[in-house]
Every structure is written in C-alpha cells, then in structure tokens.
Amino acid sequence: MPDTAHDPMRPPTAAPGAEATGGRLPAHLLVRLLGRLTGPARRAWALLTERPLSLYAVSVLRIGYGLLYLVFLLREFPHRDEIWGPGSPWTPDLARQLFDQTGWASVLTLSDSRVHFELCYAAALVVSALFLLGWRTRAVSVLFAVVVTSFHARSIFMTDGGDNLVLLMALYLVLTASGRRWSLDARRSRRSSGPRTPDRWRLPALPPQLRDARGTLVTAVHNCGLLVIALQVCFLYGAAGLYKVQGATWGAGTALHYVLNLELFQPWPALSHWADEQAVAIAVVGYLAVLLQVAFPFVLFGRLKYPVLTMLLGMHIGIAVLMGLPLFSGAMIIADAVFLPDRFYVAVGKLVRRVRRRPGEPQTGAGAPGASGARRGEVPKQGGHPASLVRGRPSKDSVRSLRAATTLIVRHAPRRSAR
C-alpha cells in the first residue's frame, strides 16, 4: 500500500473544523483576532471620551496665562499708545494694509479714535482678570483669545517668542475645560450642587441621550485640546534643541558667550559680564540646555521628567534674569506645568492649606483628632469599642443611650440564662 502521508501530488488537507466553515477561520478565532486588532483603538477611544484628563493642569495654565497677560498689560500701560494706540509709529493704516496681505485681524484697528483704543485696553484688562479668576470660563476664554490675537496682530513686529506662545496657548485653552478647578465657576458649581429651588427662567433639562452626547463631546474636545498643548510644547523644545545642534557655536560651547555680550539682551550689564567670566560653567550650561531640549519629548512618561522639568525651570529663570525676557520665560514655565499630574497639584493644594492654617486652629479631615471621619450628608461608621465614647467629652444623649442599653442587658440577662 503506497504511503500518501508525504505524497507531493496529494492536495493539502484542510485544518480541523475547516469543513464546517468552508475553509475559513472559525468564528471564535475571528472574534479573538478582531479583538486584538481593535483593542488598542477601543482603549484609546475610552481614554479620549470617558473622563477629562489633567483638569488641574489646564487650570494652572488658565491662571498662569491670565495673570501673565494681565501683568504684561499693566506693565505696558504707560507705553500703550506708542505700542498699540493711534500714536504708534506703526499706524492703524499700516496695520490694516498688512492685514490685507497676511489675513490677520484686530479689534484695535476698527477705529482710529483714542476713545475706542482706551475702551479696548480697559476691556482687555477686565477680560484677563476674569479669565484668571475663572468666571464664565467658556465664554471668557473666547474673549481672552480675541484680546491676545488683537494685541499681537496690532504690533506684530514688536513681539517675541513669548508673545507667540501666549497666543497659541490662548487659542488652545478655548477647547479645554479650564474652569472646573480653582475657579469661580467651580465654586459656584459646588454651592449649587444642593437642592435647587424651581426657577421659571431656567432652561429645560436636556433629554438623557443628548446630555450624554454633550458630555462625551465636551470631554473629547477637552482631551484633544490638552493633547495639542502637550504636542506643541514637545515640538517647541525638540525643534529648538535640533536647531542648536546644527549650530557651530553651540557645538563649541561658546554660544552663551556671544549671547551674554549682546547689548540688546543685557538688562544688568555687570551681571552679564560676571556670568561671561565663568567660562567652564557657561560651556556646561550650554551643552546641558541642548541635551534637555532634545531629550524632553522622550522623558515625559517616566520619573526622569521631574528633574528635567526642574532644570528647565532654572534655565528659564536664568533667561528671564540674564537676558531680560520675562514674558518668554513665564510663558515657557507655565507651559511646562501641563506635564505635571493632577496628584501633584492636589498635594500642593493640601500643603498650602496646611501652611495657611493657624497654629491654634483645629484640624478638619479624616486624619484629624476628634474628626468623625464622615463627610457631610453621610452616615458615620457604626460599631467600634465602647471605650471610644469616653476618649473625648461624650454628649448627654450618648451617656443616656449607654445607660439605657446597660440597664436592658442587665435586666434580660437572668431570663436568657434561665432558659
């Protein structure tokens, strides 16, 4: 009998169970394969739509950029007419001619009157303060973006990297839910979480399906805006580091020497000259700056990002002091705050409240002595040792209840034993 087990002329046999499926994969294997292929996509979709991420971080960005731009407008208040007003060398007519070529726009050029300019400047101060405080953040964030865009476009030749970054972040923050933490909106939401009185002027509630769809859309837009902010900062650092690598002076370690000797970037010449005399330190700082900027996008998902962010903070403080660029340094420091997790800001908030507490003020919380451990509106945990009743100063009701319970036990104990 011929051996046909390895006969090359014999057609290959189908896999077990293939006859029932017509030569295709079984249903359970197909489902498992599709699950493996769509698993990462489903996890990414859940991460994008289930809950808003980094609410404390975007709130820090809102507070930081609102405060930074408010201080900037107050600092330039004596020079506002020369920079943005009708008396500027870059007249409103020249600005409008440039807008026709570039597509920019500004509310400051809608009129050439000084009254219009002063009203716009006062409105910009008010909008920056409201954005900082987080009052009606959804609407005020749009107004803040309009303010930053208008002032940036009005004198576009007088801006620097700090103005550009503040403009980008103002546009990105419109997409985020930056008013849910540390804001007047969050405080109002906490106060209105209790029972509400009927109001005939209140809009009717949305149907459940529309409300869920709205929540999913708001969460997805917030997370996308947060992702864009993080990518923008990563691209900024990466591009800056790669451009420095291509420069001969950065490779030789002499770039900071030339920067410190530029009169345009010498707010304190004596300090700049003293720093320039530290040749070895200047070279090391230059190499370290390039290394930090190039490596920044690759250390964001580990613990190494904390020392990197700390060194970048020192670098930006040095730029603000030695080069006289406080707006740029402040914008970069605030942008770096987006990479700190929410648990960091929660811990900072607890530390601030602990420091602000007066020495004689009693502590409140689960870990404080004398605290019941129950939140407002919740039933405290029952049970425990009876001695816990007398550790503090028991109330009269608790003493009466304890006496009544003891009397009942003593009275009924003989009957139970007799039975």
Side-chain angles (χ1 to χ4, degrees):
M1 186 174 182
D3 185 11
T4 59
H6 301 283
D7 189 359
M9 301 301 294
R10 183 179 179 181
T13 58
E19 294 83 357
T21 58
R24 295 173 295 181
L25 289 175
H28 67 281
L29 293 179
L30 184 60
V31 171
R32 185 180 301 177
L33 179 60
L34 291 177
R36 290 182 179 180
L37 293 177
T38 60
R42 286 188 283 106
R43 287 192 295 269
W45 177 255
L47 182 65
L48 185 66
T49 59
E50 282 187 354
R51 63 183 183 89
L53 304 174
S54 300
L55 290 175
Y56 284 98
V58 294
S59 299
V60 170
L61 263 65
R62 184 202 80 240
I63 296 172
Y65 287 116
L67 178 62
L68 183 66
Y69 213 74
L70 178 62
V71 173
F72 172 66
L73 293 177
L74 292 175
R75 168 65 180 81
E76 302 298 340
F77 185 82
H79 316 287
R80 63 189 185 281
D81 188 36
E82 293 82 0
I83 301 176
W84 300 289
S88 173
W90 186 253
T91 62
D93 291 334
L94 294 175
R96 284 189 286 265
Q97 294 179 17
L98 182 63
F99 294 163
D100 295 337
Q101 302 176 11
T102 60
W104 285 88
S106 175
V107 296
L108 299 176
T109 59
L110 296 178
S111 176
D112 295 344
S113 68
R114 186 171 298 277
V115 176
H116 172 76
F117 170 72
E118 297 295 343
L119 290 177
C120 289
Y121 205 90
L125 293 173
V126 173
V127 168
S128 300
L130 293 179
F131 185 68
L132 160 67
L133 298 175
W135 182 82
R136 306 293 180 183
T137 314
R138 285 292 182 185
V140 174
S141 62
V142 177
L143 297 179
F144 182 73
V146 172
V147 166
V148 176
T149 304
S150 299
F151 279 80
H152 181 86
R154 175 61 182 88
S155 297
I156 197 169
F157 296 110
M158 299 186 64
T159 59
D160 56 15
D163 299 88
N164 297 331
L165 185 59
V166 173
L167 172 62
L168 292 174
M169 292 301 174
L171 297 176
Y172 297 153
L173 286 174
V174 175
L175 305 176
T176 64
S178 60
R180 295 191 181 182
R181 298 291 185 272
W182 294 340
S183 64
L184 296 179
D185 290 344
R187 182 180 181 183
R188 183 176 63 253
S189 178
R190 289 193 301 269
R191 289 185 174 182
S192 62
S193 59
R196 299 180 180 179
T197 57
D199 188 0
R200 62 178 181 176
W201 300 108
R202 189 184 302 276
L203 295 176
L206 294 175
Q209 295 180 351
L210 291 180
R211 186 171 60 250
D212 295 341
R214 176 182 176 274
T216 302
L217 179 61
V218 170
T219 302
V221 171
H222 165 82
N223 291 334
C224 289
L226 180 67
L227 179 62
V228 171
I229 292 174
L231 291 177
Q232 178 68 60
V233 179
C234 290
F235 284 145
L236 194 153
Y237 277 120
L242 292 178
Y243 275 114
K244 287 181 175 65
V245 169
Q246 300 175 12
T249 56
W250 288 98
T254 58
L256 294 181
H257 162 72
Y258 295 106
V259 172
L260 292 173
N261 285 276
L262 293 175
E263 295 183 0
L264 184 62
F265 300 106
Q266 286 185 348
W268 292 282
L271 182 61
S272 299
H273 293 321
W274 174 85
D276 186 41
E277 294 175 356
Q278 317 300 322
V280 178
I282 288 297
V284 172
V285 170
Y287 288 129
L288 185 60
V290 176
L291 178 61
L292 291 176
Q293 291 177 347
V294 173
F296 181 80
F298 304 100
V299 299
L300 296 179
F301 301 100
R303 296 182 179 180
L304 193 59
K305 71 177 180 180
Y306 295 104
V308 169
L309 290 174
T310 303
M311 287 185 285
L312 287 175
L313 174 63
M315 183 185 74
H316 292 310
I317 292 176
I319 292 175
V321 174
L322 293 175
M323 299 179 61
L325 296 174
L327 182 62
F328 169 77
S329 298
M332 291 302 304
I333 291 173
I334 297 169
D336 292 343
V338 76
F339 298 103
L340 295 174
D342 279 353
R343 60 178 180 273
F344 172 82
Y345 295 108
V346 172
V348 171
K350 292 181 179 179
L351 180 62
V352 171
R353 288 192 297 270
R354 189 179 305 171
V355 171
R356 291 178 57 185
R357 186 183 296 120
R358 297 177 182 178
E361 184 178 355
Q363 298 180 359
T364 58
S372 63
R375 298 179 181 177
R376 182 178 299 178
E378 294 184 358
V379 180
K381 295 182 179 180
Q382 303 297 317
H385 198 274
S388 61
L389 296 174
V390 295
R391 288 179 182 175
R393 180 174 295 178
S395 60
K396 295 181 179 180
D397 295 335
S398 61
V399 173
R400 292 173 183 173
S401 301
L402 184 59
R403 289 178 179 176
T406 307
T407 304
L408 290 175
I409 293 173
V410 173
R411 183 177 300 175
H412 293 281
R415 298 180 183 179
R416 292 178 182 177
S417 59
R419 293 178 184 178

